[in-house]
Amino acid sequence: MLDRAEVDALFPSDLPEVAHWEQRYPPRQLPADAAVTRFCPSPTGSLHLGGVFVALLDRALARQSDGRYLVRVEDTDQEREVAGAAREFDRAFEHFGLTPDEAAGTGAYGPYLQSERAQIYLSHVRELLRAGRAYPCFATKEELAALTDEQRAAKLPTGYYGRWAPWRDAEAELVRARLAAGEPYVVRFRSPGEAAGRVSYTDVIRGTITADDNRNDVVILKSSANALRLPTYHFAHAVDDHLMRVSLVVRGDEWISSVPVHLQLFDALGFERIPYAHVAPLMKQDGKAKRKLSKRKDPEAAIEYYIAGGYPTDAVLYYLRGLANGRLAELPLDQALAEPLRLSECGVAGPLVDLVRLEDIAADLIATMSNEAILAAVLDWAGVYDAELAAAIEGNRERVLRALDIERVGVANPRKDLRKWSDFRAVYGYFLPELFELVSDPADPRLGGLPAEVVQALATDFLAGYQHVNDSDAWFEQIRSAATANRFAASPKEYKADKESYVGSTKEAAQIFRVLLTGSNRSPAFHLVTQALGEPETRRRLSAVLDA
C-alpha cells in the first residue's frame, strides 16, 4: 500500500480536499418530504422513449413534492459520444414539457456535465486511495483477457477478484516501480464483498431485493493514459448523486444487478445511501411474445419518431402516464395530466407500447381542439418537417380553417382521421391548391373508366349551370341534372336493369366530381368540400379535364 505522500503525488497538487466539495454543495433547504430526482442521459445515441418515460416520472415526483428535478449528462464515455446528442436531449425535454429545474447553464449544484466534474471525482478517488479502499491496477487488456479465459475454463464467475486480482495486494515496491516507469494504470475499488456474501436492500417499486454481494474490484477511474481522467459510471453517479443531494433515484431495471457495488461505493465514501426505484422496461408485442422496445429494431423506440411524426405532446404524455399508473389511463386527459404519479402503482412487468392505442388517444384529443389550435400546431410541425406544406398553409389560412370545420364543428361525433400532425397533408392536403394535382386527364383510371368524351361532356354541362350552394340536396341535384342529360341512370338499380341505355348511374357521375375535386374516391359531402375550397377553386378543378 502506498503512503499518503505517494498517493497525493498521483494527483494535481492543487486538488481540493473532499471537505471542499461538501461545503460547496451543502444539503438543500427543502421540505422534509421533497424529492430531489435526476435524469441522466448518456450522449452515445438518440433518446429512447423509455428515457422520456423515466424523465416524466422524475419530474412529476419532484414537482408534486416541492422538490427539484435535474438533468445531468453522463458523458464520461467520450469515445462513443454521438455529436449533437446532448442538443437532441434538450430539444426533447422542451418538446414534451420536461424541462428540468437544474441542468447545464442553470442550477447551483453543477456542473451538470460529468466531463466538467473531473476535479470532484479525483478528490474522492484520492480519498479512497489514501484509505486503502482503492488501488492502482496495471493489468493490460491482454492480461485481463487471459484471466477471463482461465476463469471460463475453470467454470468460475468472471471478474477481477480474489486470486484473479493480481494488483489488489501487490507489493508497494512493485507498484512504485510501475509508476516510476510511467506505465498506464486504472484505479480499482477494493471491494469488501465476500465470495458467498449476500446483500439485501429495499427497492421503492419492488420491495426487498436480496442478491449476491459484489466481490469484483471494479474500475472507478479510467486509464492514466487519457488526457482527461474520468471515472466510470459506477463511481461518478455515486459522487454526483451525493453532492447534488439527490434523494431518490429512478432508473431502468437493467441497473438492478449493479446495486450491490453501488451500495459498497456509497458506504466506502461515507455517503448516506440513496433509495433506488427500478422501473420496468417498455415492451413491444412481437408475434405471440413480448420483448423490450429496442432502438435497433423498432423506430418507435426513438423519441424523434414521435416528434418528427407530429404526435400531439399531451397525447404522448397522457399515454406514458397511463403506462406508469394504470388508473390514469381511465381518466379524462386533462385530469390525468394533473393527477400525481405514484411509484407504488408502477408495475414490475414492463408495460406494452401500443401505437394504435396512442393514435386513438391522439385522434380523440385533436377532435376536441379548436381549428386555430390545430392550425398552429400543424404549422409548428411543418415548419421543421414539411416546408412545402407550411408555405401552402400560410397562403391559405382561411381555406384551411374552413376545411377543418368540415364534420368537426357542430356535430355530435366529430371526424377523427387526423391522428398526428404528419397526417395533415394526406387528410387535408387536397384543400391546398399548391399541393393539389389537378385531375386533367379525362381518361384517368380514378374516374371509373368512362369514355373521355362522357367525362368532359358531364363536366361541361355541370359547370354551365353551376350554383355554389351550401346545401347537400341542392348540390346533388345539380349532379343529377347534368348526369341525366348525359345518359346516366337516376339510380344504380335503374342502370343495372338496362345497361345498354346508360353509361352509368348518378353514383358513377358523383364519383367523377369527387375525384375532380379531391383526387380521391372518398371525401366529405360535396357542398362542404366546395364551400371550403371556394367557388373559383371549385370551378378550376372541375374544368381541368376540359383542356385535354
Side-chain angles (χ1 to χ4, degrees):
M1 180 176 171
L2 301 176
D3 62 32
R4 183 183 178 107
E6 290 172 317
V7 168
D8 288 357
L10 302 177
F11 298 88
S13 58
D14 60 347
L15 185 67
E17 293 293 326
V18 165
H20 167 80
W21 304 116
E22 293 288 337
Q23 292 173 356
R24 178 169 172 179
Y25 304 112
R28 296 174 182 267
Q29 301 302 308
L30 294 171
D33 294 331
V36 179
T37 63
R38 49 62 158 189
F39 179 63
C40 301
S42 174
T44 53
S46 58
L47 188 60
H48 192 286
L49 179 64
V52 169
F53 183 63
V54 172
L56 180 149
L57 283 166
D58 279 323
R59 187 176 187 274
L61 293 167
R63 291 291 177 86
Q64 67 199 32
S65 65
D66 294 325
R68 300 287 285 176
Y69 159 58
L70 61 94
V71 169
R72 183 177 71 230
V73 177
E74 297 185 337
D75 61 342
T76 59
D77 191 357
Q78 299 197 321
E79 290 183 359
R80 295 176 56 228
E81 185 168 336
V82 175
R87 289 194 299 275
E88 181 190 320
F89 299 158
D90 291 340
R91 179 165 160 265
F93 298 146
E94 182 176 357
H95 181 85
F96 288 102
L98 298 175
T99 50
D101 301 310
E102 300 174 17
T106 179
Y109 286 77
Y112 295 90
L113 271 68
Q114 287 188 330
S115 60
E116 297 177 0
R117 298 173 66 83
Q119 263 203 329
I120 300 172
Y121 306 130
L122 291 180
S123 293
H124 289 82
V125 171
R126 182 179 64 185
E127 196 67 19
L128 291 183
L129 283 167
R130 286 172 176 174
R133 293 191 175 96
Y135 59 92
C137 171
F138 298 88
T140 64
K141 290 182 179 179
E142 293 74 20
E143 290 169 338
L144 293 173
L147 288 173
T148 299
D149 288 342
E150 289 181 41
Q151 290 169 333
R152 286 176 176 155
K155 297 183 178 180
L156 294 171
T158 57
Y160 198 89
Y161 61 91
R163 74 183 186 87
W164 310 103
W167 288 97
R168 179 182 174 102
D169 296 312
E171 293 292 333
E173 285 305 319
L174 181 57
V175 175
R176 293 186 186 106
R178 292 295 183 97
L179 290 172
E183 293 189 22
Y185 65 91
V186 297
V187 176
R188 288 185 180 273
F189 174 59
R190 192 184 299 276
S191 171
E194 298 179 358
R198 302 281 284 173
V199 62
S200 294
Y201 64 94
T202 300
D203 184 282
V204 179
I205 292 174
R206 298 162 187 270
T208 300
I209 294 178
T210 300
D212 290 337
D213 202 0
N214 171 65
R215 58 175 173 166
N216 273 310
D217 288 357
V218 296
V219 174
I220 58 175
L221 189 64
K222 297 178 183 180
S223 177
S224 59
N226 298 333
L228 184 62
R229 297 301 303 278
L230 291 174
T232 59
Y233 168 81
H234 298 299
F235 188 73
H237 104 280
V239 172
D240 289 343
D241 284 350
H242 170 72
L243 291 177
M244 291 180 175
R245 310 301 173 176
V246 172
S247 64
L248 172 64
V249 172
V250 182
R251 61 185 184 182
D253 69 353
E254 68 271 19
W255 291 107
I256 289 178
S257 62
S258 299
V259 172
V261 68
H262 294 167
L263 296 180
Q264 288 179 355
L265 286 168
F266 272 88
D267 293 345
L269 290 161
F271 299 159
E272 183 179 349
R273 293 182 177 185
I274 299 172
Y276 290 112
H278 290 97
V279 178
L282 299 180
M283 307 292 284
K284 177 172 181 172
Q285 191 75 40
D286 193 350
K288 294 183 179 180
K290 294 180 182 179
R291 59 169 173 80
K292 289 184 180 180
L293 194 64
S294 164
K295 281 196 291 186
R296 183 173 60 86
K297 297 179 181 179
D298 308 314
E300 69 270 28
I303 202 62
E304 180 61 22
Y305 177 89
Y306 302 90
I307 299 175
Y311 286 83
T313 300
D314 280 352
V316 176
L317 293 175
Y318 172 81
Y319 181 62
L320 292 178
R321 280 176 153 258
L323 293 183
N325 288 178
R327 66 185 165 86
L328 301 183
E330 307 302 321
L331 298 178
L333 186 142
D334 288 347
Q335 184 181 350
L337 293 180
E339 285 283 313
L341 282 171
R342 299 168 186 156
L343 290 178
S344 61
E345 295 179 12
C346 290
V348 297
L352 187 66
V353 173
D354 182 352
L355 288 182
V356 173
R357 170 63 179 149
L358 172 59
E359 292 198 1
D360 285 345
I361 291 169
D364 287 342
L365 171 61
I366 293 171
T368 69
M369 294 173 63
S370 69
N371 293 352
E372 290 76 11
I374 293 174
L375 180 63
V378 173
L379 276 174
D380 282 346
W381 174 84
V384 177
Y385 295 100
D386 192 340
E388 183 184 46
L389 175 62
I393 292 174
E394 287 286 10
N396 294 272
R397 281 179 173 265
E398 292 305 315
R399 180 177 282 126
V400 170
L401 291 173
R402 291 197 300 270
L404 286 169
D405 270 344
I406 296 174
E407 296 176 357
R408 275 181 26 89
V409 177
V411 296
N413 296 303
R415 64 190 297 192
K416 296 180 181 179
D417 49 0
L418 189 60
R419 311 172 83 80
K420 50 189 182 296
W421 309 133
S422 58
D423 292 342
F424 191 88
R425 179 188 276 263
V427 177
Y428 289 99
Y430 68 86
F431 286 100
L432 302 170
E434 295 85 348
L435 302 185
F436 182 73
E437 185 176 350
L438 290 172
V439 182
S440 57
D441 181 3
D444 190 303
R446 289 174 292 177
L447 297 173
L450 291 165
E453 61 272 17
V454 171
V455 172
Q456 290 179 316
L458 181 65
T460 298
D461 286 352
F462 181 87
L463 285 168
Y466 176 63
Q467 298 293 316
H468 193 66
V469 292
N470 186 16
D471 179 87
S472 178
D473 292 340
W475 217 98
F476 196 79
E477 185 55 40
Q478 295 184 84
I479 292 179
R480 192 190 313 277
S481 176
T484 54
N486 285 276
R487 297 180 51 235
F488 283 86
S491 69
K493 182 178 180 180
E494 185 178 343
Y495 170 59
K496 188 176 181 180
D498 187 8
K499 289 187 176 182
E500 295 298 322
S501 300
Y502 301 106
V503 295
S505 72
T506 50
K507 179 181 178 181
E508 285 74 39
Q511 284 298 82
I512 291 172
F513 290 106
R514 196 178 305 279
V515 171
L516 293 177
L517 288 170
T518 70
S520 172
N521 288 314
R522 298 183 65 185
S523 76
F526 291 111
H527 71 293
L528 299 176
V529 172
T530 54
Q531 289 302 307
L533 289 174
E535 184 171 356
E537 180 63 13
T538 296
R539 288 183 175 277
R540 185 177 81 95
R541 295 186 182 191
L542 296 179
S543 63
V545 289
L546 304 181
D547 299 327

